[in-house]
Amino acid sequence: MMDNLPLVSIITVNFNGNEITDLFLKSISEITYKNIEVFVVDNNSTISPDILKQKFPTINLIKSF
């Protein structure tokens, strides 16, 4: 039961690295521990990080400007 498991937060930083961040998020999706939250902090990329949110709707996308 997830209520008994501690919440684990995973935070990653993205800067024009959507392809690498995409691979990272795919690997995280294979984790068997399910009580996780994922934050992607984008450091004002010129490549829009919104595509990551579209592909991985459960992530928390934070855009830093």
Side-chain angles (χ1 to χ4, degrees):
M1 192 172 222
M2 263 201 278
D3 293 337
N4 297 333
L5 298 174
L7 177 63
V8 173
S9 299
I10 299 172
I11 303 166
T12 188
V13 177
N14 181 60
F15 178 72
N16 292 332
N18 283 3
E19 290 178 26
I20 293 170
T21 302
D22 182 276
L23 291 172
F24 175 71
L25 294 172
K26 283 179 187 172
S27 70
I28 286 176
S29 70
E30 296 177 14
I31 294 174
T32 57
Y33 189 90
K34 294 301 177 191
N35 198 16
I36 64 171
E37 61 182 357
V38 179
F39 292 87
V40 175
V41 180
D42 183 76
N43 281 336
N44 202 20
S45 294
T46 55
I47 303 167
S48 176
D50 293 328
I51 193 165
L52 295 170
K53 180 67 174 174
Q54 290 171 354
K55 277 184 95 171
F56 304 95
T58 61
I59 67 169
N60 298 289
L61 179 61
I62 299 169
K63 296 179 185 178
S64 174
F65 297 99

